[in-house]
Structures are given as structure tokens and as C-alpha cells.
Amino acid sequence: MGGDPQVSATVGDHRRTGVPDPYGDQALLTPAMTKGHDAAPAGERALLLRYLEAVAAARRAPVHTAVAFNAAYFGYDLGGDGYGGSPLSLDDFPVITLGEYAPPLPVGAMVCVATGSDPLYAEIVYREGAHPEVGALGNVPAWVSGAPAGAEGPGRPGSDATPCRRELLVPDLHAFGPALSLSPAKLHRLRTRRRWINEDGHVVVDVRYPSPEAARRDDLTAYADHLLTTAREQLLSPFVPVSLADLVGSTRDDDLRAGLLGLLDTVRGVLRSSAALRTWGHYAVTRASLTECWGDTGPLGGDDLRSLAAAVEHAATPARRRHRLTAPAAVYTAVGPRLRQFPGATELLGGTGYAAAVVRANVTLADVVRGDSDQGLFENGSRITLDDAFESGGIWRSRHPADAAAPGGPLAPAGRGWASTLPAPPEPETEADPVDLPLADDATLGPGELLRDDAKETVWRSPLRLAHLIDGWFPLHPSAARGLRRSHGPRPALRLELHHGGRTPDERGTTQDVKAELEGEPGRLTGIRWPRDFFPGLILELRLPRGGTVIRAATTPLTEPVRIDERVIEHGYDPRVLTREDAPGSDRHGDSAAGLGPRQLVMRTVRRCGLLTLDGHALLDRSVLPNAVYGGRPARSQTVALESAVAELLAEGRLEPALGSRDAWGRPHYPAREAQPTIPLIGYRPLRRRVIRPWGGAEADGAGLLALQFVSGHLRRLRPGCSPSEAQRAAFRDHCRLLGKADGWELPYGYTFVTEHTRGR
């Protein structure tokens, strides 16, 4: 059930079985992969897939996307040595201690677990919340489910700028092979003493985050931050199979970050494309291990998992009492603690076995929800949804009677437990007449965000608005306006430098003389000539040095371009502003519905007047559409034309139908609320598609016009008894200098260096 810990017996010599080797002749990570999964040629993805499937079969723990990246990038040996044969510097690993404060350590981090004698070198393969309020039986107070880091109680998110959260880390203590692993007897003594690791072989730490934003980062962004800061020397080491700097062709931080995120996206996409693997979030397990588990009648086998699913399904079902029905409206169940209640489970939940059991349990629950319910609604009247994917192995919410389905589906963590303890948000407003919608002054869309304000500079971020494009101005953050007013008076002359996503346009397009108007609030820059490809919603990050007169405004390139409707977007944007202000009839020359046809009028009105969601969706009460378009009672022919346009747009998928409700005051709501009459809605869903840019200008898989493939310089393992030539040693030293390393780097024992070259396909 937990997988075979004897990797060599399971996999054997991977070089004989045809499984690719990170240090082999063909690099597993390539320059094309730094652009993301869809940009990588199919042949290169297939090579990486074969290796990662072998890694998933060899390792006892589920393989997280970050761990899969580590295996390919740092060279995980499938013959039994793991990273033990990789020339990583163990002294660079951060040290963690049970029960102490620790910096954020994402899954994938390579660490040293402090002990009283021999250190434990490990790779973090699983991570979850360990909130002290979660009960031993898996019962969870509602406010804990989905709560932000640092939350102090129901509806109290906490005010600490550096929030703290207790987390459980599962280290793979055998990831570095037998030579760096403690004996079973020593590990047993450490687990029994509970001083350095707990009785399960895990580490529980209180993690202090530098900011609330850092605590909310997704797994891959957090791991990229870790590699580019704490593990930077490890990431840029010339001893890895192929260095990131070589793959990207640059050592600039922005280029390294973009390339690293592209590689992580590629690894994630490859894992998800495998027919041999199942994924839960970022974790992948083999289908064979799941089949074996479901057929097992022992502890944590198929019978126990089916029992868990039944318990979650009926957790909130009311019990019939003599006089009335009584039961809690919603019950929250944590998977990790609940698994420990099954007889005989304790031994199986030690070490990496805990991670495997939790992922298998969540996959089972997800399959039951998909197969036996309608969007989480079961025949017994309960609705089952995933509420928190991080805390205590995952928290599932059971509610009876069923409430409205979550907008993202039953398997998208909704955090309804925490949300239920917050004050009710103000009702969104919908306008019947688009003329009355104050787009340019709507402060609810894309507010500016202060990133830093210190003795050195003021940095803020804000989306470009339609009014800014039309009239050539941009708001200043109040902190920046106050600093300029103190230093240079109410109307200073400034210079604006525009840096557009790493491009190098001519000087006239990058630097402008502008004016600052600081008499009112919050102050603004005027006289700006915006580049032609700037659009409403484009996010700008602005920097004003303390006491300076030059403001630098920069856009941020996306990892992959996307197409939203007819617009190709290559830089960061606010989807809400894009929906509202990039509607038909709106451009930098004006904003008017005059001359638009019925289809364009429908799209404009839904986008302008619909209830707006954070991700840029807009939903409009279908019955008010004619009045909203024309601002009064339209002619019958106009109404017929609009209905025909709506039918066409629905058929094409440009609009989609939905159901909402209307309250006693006539206001629409989405999702529909209980005890309110339902109403039909029409929704605008931005059509977001990747822009495929084939490598070499050929088909998406890279075949066709591309005759030669560039291969970066990389390390390669040597056969026993072989040694590198003096020329290869010298080439490796030159390679280190190109990567920005100092002199004195020598090839590690057992490796040679393959210089960069081209290879025919």
C-alpha cells in the first residue's frame, strides 16, 4: 500500500530499462521548456514524462510538482542513490528544528534536520497546516477552514504584518541515498525521543511569513521564491545537469524567475498529461498504487477509504429525534486526523506513508463526489465540497440541507467555513442604464496597491484605465504625491520612463516629459503619450526615488501570452478592468455605443452592467437587457434583434446562461439564494486561450521547419573506470565563468562536461 522502499528492487538499473537519465546524453529540461508546457515540443515533453513516471513509481511519497522538478534538475538517481550521487552542497541547506520558528519552507526544499548527533539531510515532500484547534477525531471549527495565516479566531484575521502559522512538514529522510541515511535503529531512537522529529518522523514548526501576501502564495510561486533566494547557490550551481542560467541564456533575476516558473509549469503539465498517474493538486501518484490500495482489505485500504467517504457524506445528515429533526447545518472534517482513527493505521502513517495516505484519501473522496453527486449534491440532501486543501490534510465540508453550489465547483477550495464568520459584504450594485455607470471613477475596480514606501523609494502598482488612455494621465499614489509635493511643490515637471516587459524600444518611446498636478487628491501625472499597444487593465508598477523627479513605470511579462477574446495579452493585467473597459465601443479614441450592432450592444451591456466577479466574469439579469441597452422602453424590433443576438452569442459560447435570484427589493444575486425566486442570467466569460508559438516556426510539437536543436552545456555521468579529458575540465571551468562563478570550479568525481552544440532531429 505504501509503496516499496527498496527502490533498486522495484526499478532496477534505469539505464538498462531505457528510462532517461538527467545526466545522460539527452537533457531532460530544455530551453524551450522555460517558456511553459505548451511551448515545449512534444518529443521533449515525452522524454521528461518517461523519467517522471519512473520517479513516481520509485518513490514512496506522492511526487509533488516541485519534487518532480528537483528530480530532473538536480539529478535524482533511480538506481537507489537518489540525490546521493548529485554533487549538491549539503552545507547550504537550511536547518530546521522540531517545535521552533522557521522561515517558509515549501515542498521541494532540501533541508538539514538538526539532531543532537548526526544531521538528517532530507527533501520536504509534503506540507500541510497543523492548526491546534483541529480535533483528534478530525472535527474542525468552522472558522479554521480556509482561515488566513495569523487568524486569531472567528472573523478575526489578525493584524500582524508578519503572520505565523503552524505547519507539518514531511521530510524524505532517504532522498539522499543510503550513504546519507541513518540506520533504522537510530531513526527509531530519534522518533521515540521526539526532540528532533516527532513520533511519526515529521517536523512541526511555527512558520513566520514576511508578509500576508507571502503566506497566500501558491506552491510553485513559493518554491520559485525559495530557489531564487535561500537556495540560490544550489539553483545556479554548475554541477546540476543543466543550469537554469544556461537554459534561460541570462543571469538577470527577472529572466531567471520567468524561466524557472516556465519550467515548473512544464513539469506540472507533463505530470497531468500522464496516463499512468493521478494528480491531486500538485501531488502525483501512480494509478497502479491506487488500484492496489483500493483492493487492499487491511488498514487504510479500500474498505477504510469507502468508510471515510460514507462518513463525510452523512456527517451533516440530521438524526431523527422524537419531537423534531436536529443536526448541525455544516460539518467540517479534516482528512489527516480522521485517518488516524482507523485501527492499525498508526504504523502506516509514519514517515512519507502519511503523505501517500492523505493523497489517496483525497483522490477517493474526489472520485466519490464526481461519480455519485451532482456538483456535490447527494441523494440524501447533503452537499459535500472541499473547503480547505491545505489544513490538516484537507478539510471537507458537509452541509444539510444543501446550499448553492460553489462557483468553482465542489473540488475548488472555497473557504466557506472562514467566510461564514466574517461580516456580510455590501451588496454589489447593478445598473439598469450603462450611461449611469461611472467607469473612469469606479474605485472598486483594480485599486492601486502600495508595495513599498521607505527612505529609498515609493513603489506602487495600479492598472491602466480607459480614461487614462483617452486623456493621457495616470494617478499617483498618495504617498508618492505627498513626497513630490514636499520636495518639488504643487506642479513639478517630471520625467516618465516606460519599460514595457523587457522590450527595448527606441528612446522616444521610453522617456517622456510630463507634469504632476498635486493640488487635489490623490494627485496625477498628465501629458502622457501612452504606447499604442497599451490597453485598459494593463498593470503598471511605478517607482519614485525619494526626492527624485524620474518615475519609472514597468509592465511585467506573463510566462505565456494569452488571448482574451480578440486581444493577445503578453503582460500582467487586471481581468476586472479588462472586462469593464475593453468592451465594444471603447478604445483610446473614445467611449460610445453609437454605431454598434445588436451583438456588440449585448456584449457591451453585459460587460458594463453585469455583476462583476474577481476573475473578470460579468452576469446580467436577462430580463433587463433591453432597457439597459437603450436606457428606456425599446421598440419591439429592437427587442427582437437583441434576443436574436443573445441566442447567437450563447450558441457560439461568447455568452453563457446561468441562474440567479431576485430579492424583495428587486436586486439580482448570484449564486441564487434560498427562498428567493430564481431568474435567468446571461454571463460574459472571458475566453482565455494560450497563444501557441511553435519553436522554430513549425507545428506546436516543434517538428517540421526545425532541423537542428541547440543543446546547452551540461554535466554527464561517466561509466565506472572512465575519467574526463583535460579539455573537458577546462571547458567546464569556462562554463562556470560564463555563469558568473569564480575561478576554481572543478568537475565533480564521476562526471564529464558536454559543451554546447547543435543536434539534428
Side-chain angles (χ1 to χ4, degrees), residues 40 79 81 83 118 196 278 305 438 500 511 549 561 661 699 723 732:
D81 287 335
Y83 299 109
D118 299 318
W196 314 109
R278 286 287 305 275
L305 294 185
H500 191 23
T511 304
T549 59
S661 63
E699 299 299 326
S723 60
F732 181 69

Side-chain angles (χ1 to χ4, degrees), residues 452-639:
R452 185 167 69 251
D453 186 23
D454 52 29
K456 180 181 178 182
E457 61 181 349
T458 301
V459 184
W460 73 100
R461 181 166 51 214
S462 185
L464 191 64
R465 307 294 297 273
L466 180 60
H468 306 158
L469 287 170
I470 293 175
D471 297 327
W473 65 279
F474 197 77
L476 289 165
H477 192 276
S479 297
R482 285 193 295 269
L484 285 171
R485 192 182 298 113
R486 285 195 299 266
S487 302
H488 306 292
R491 295 183 64 85
L494 306 175
R495 298 186 71 192
L496 175 66
E497 293 183 357
L498 290 174
H499 297 263
H500 191 23
R503 299 180 180 179
T504 56
D506 57 71
E507 186 66 22
R508 290 177 300 171
T510 60
T511 304
Q512 304 177 26
D513 293 324
V514 298
K515 294 283 187 180
E517 297 179 354
L518 306 177
E519 290 92 343
E521 290 293 339
R524 61 170 65 187
L525 299 176
T526 61
I528 302 175
R529 302 181 304 279
W530 296 110
R532 284 179 297 178
D533 56 347
F534 276 29
F535 58 91
L538 179 68
I539 293 178
L540 300 177
E541 182 175 304
L542 298 98
R543 295 175 179 271
L544 173 63
R546 186 67 62 192
T549 59
V550 177
I551 294 180
R552 183 181 186 272
T555 59
T556 303
L558 296 175
T559 303
E560 281 295 320
V562 295
R563 181 184 294 275
I564 306 293
D565 296 328
E566 302 305 319
R567 182 181 292 280
V568 175
I569 299 178
E570 299 181 345
H571 302 85
Y573 68 98
D574 187 319
R576 299 166 297 174
V577 176
L578 190 73
T579 291
R580 283 288 199 238
E581 304 191 8
D582 202 33
S586 304
D587 58 32
R588 64 178 57 227
H589 303 297
D591 183 23
S592 172
L596 298 182
R599 289 166 57 95
Q600 292 174 306
L601 286 172
V602 169
M603 291 295 290
R604 176 183 172 89
T605 304
V606 172
R607 292 172 63 167
R608 288 296 180 89
C609 302
L611 302 172
L612 190 64
T613 66
L614 291 176
D615 56 357
H617 294 189
L619 297 125
L620 181 72
D621 181 351
R622 186 165 180 170
S623 67
V624 306
L625 177 64
N627 287 340
V629 170
Y630 294 107
R633 184 182 296 275
R636 180 174 177 79
S637 60
Q638 292 174 320
T639 301

Side-chain angles (χ1 to χ4, degrees), residues 127 170 177 189 206 220 255 321 329 338 344 347 386 413 447 467 542 559 611 623 694 743-744:
R127 166 178 162 266
V170 175
R189 283 198 296 271
D206 290 310
L220 299 191
D255 295 336
R321 297 291 178 87
R338 185 65 181 78
E347 289 299 319
L386 178 67
L542 298 98
T559 303
L611 302 172
S623 67
D743 292 338

Side-chain angles (χ1 to χ4, degrees), residues 100-185:
E100 294 189 0
Y101 281 95
L105 290 172
V107 177
M110 296 181 180
V111 300
C112 174
V113 181
T115 70
S117 54
D118 299 318
L120 293 174
Y121 296 106
E123 179 184 31
I124 303 300
V125 295
Y126 177 83
R127 166 178 162 266
E128 67 175 36
H131 202 287
E133 293 287 336
V134 176
L137 299 178
N139 50 306
V140 181
W143 72 271
V144 171
S145 184
E152 299 171 350
R156 293 182 291 144
S159 57
D160 195 342
T162 56
C164 184
R165 177 169 61 197
R166 179 159 294 184
E167 297 180 2
L168 179 145
L169 308 176
V170 175
D172 184 350
L173 302 175
H174 303 287
F176 292 87
L180 292 175
S181 299
L182 297 186
S183 67

